[in-house]
């Protein structure tokens, strides 16, 4: 698979994850796994391409570097959002458990 195709699939995966992240953590985890596989595939393609680059490839290399930085920023945002969502979910589960316990004691 070509690098451009993988980059396109990564961009699509980022778009799919955003709305799912707060509503469905299980689905978000699946999408993140897919995204992680795509990023690994991209990394392999870059490793194969880099040794063969020439001076004329400089602009493309800079473009790929910018994409890598963009992907890193997106992942940091998703990681924080995911962590915050997990904390909120656990907090809500604890409240629900407390209410169930109080209800059971009546």
């Amino acid at each position: 698979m070509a690098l451009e195709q993988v980059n396109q699939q990564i961009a699509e995966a980022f778009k799919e994850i955003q709305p799912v992240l707060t509503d469905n953590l299980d689905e978000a985890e699946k999408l993140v796994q897919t995204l992680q596989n795509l990023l690994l595939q991209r990394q392999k393609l870059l490793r194969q391409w880099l040794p063969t680059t020439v001076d004329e490839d400089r602009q493309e290399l800079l473009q790929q570097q910018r994409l890598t930085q963009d992907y890193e920023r997106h992942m940091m945002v998703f990681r924080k959002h995911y962590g915050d969502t997990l904390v909120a979910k656990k907090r809500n589960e604890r409240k629900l458990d407390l209410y169930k316990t109080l209800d059971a004691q009546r």
Side-chain angles (χ1 to χ4, degrees):
M1 183 175 295
L3 185 58
E4 295 83 24
Q5 289 174 316
V6 173
N7 286 335
Q8 182 62 36
Q9 288 179 340
I10 290 171
E12 291 171 12
F14 276 124
K15 288 178 187 174
E16 288 179 32
I17 291 172
Q18 185 63 42
V20 174
L21 199 55
T22 54
D23 299 332
N24 187 342
L25 286 180
D26 292 334
E27 182 66 23
E29 287 176 2
K30 290 176 188 175
L31 289 171
V32 167
Q33 181 64 43
T34 300
L35 180 61
Q36 186 176 21
N37 290 335
L38 288 168
L39 290 169
L40 288 172
Q41 187 174 5
R42 180 179 186 269
Q43 191 173 19
K44 288 177 187 176
L45 289 170
L46 285 171
R47 281 192 195 135
Q48 291 171 357
W49 176 54
L50 284 175
T52 65
T53 56
V54 292
D55 287 339
E56 291 80 27
D57 295 327
R58 181 172 169 76
Q59 288 302 317
E60 181 64 23
L61 283 167
L62 291 173
Q63 171 70 15
Q64 294 303 322
Q65 183 181 23
R66 283 190 292 273
L67 279 174
T68 299
Q69 291 167 348
D70 286 346
Y71 297 157
E72 288 174 352
R73 279 192 294 274
H74 281 297
M75 290 306 291
M76 286 190 301
V77 169
F78 287 139
R79 186 179 304 132
K80 179 172 178 2
H81 190 73
Y82 181 76
D84 292 347
T85 303
L86 276 178
V87 167
K89 183 179 178 182
K90 288 189 185 278
R91 188 178 311 127
N92 290 340
E93 286 174 358
R94 276 189 242 128
K95 285 180 184 178
L96 186 59
D97 288 344
L98 175 64
Y99 292 136
K100 286 180 183 176
T101 302
L102 291 174
D103 231 13
Q105 291 176 355
R106 288 185 183 177

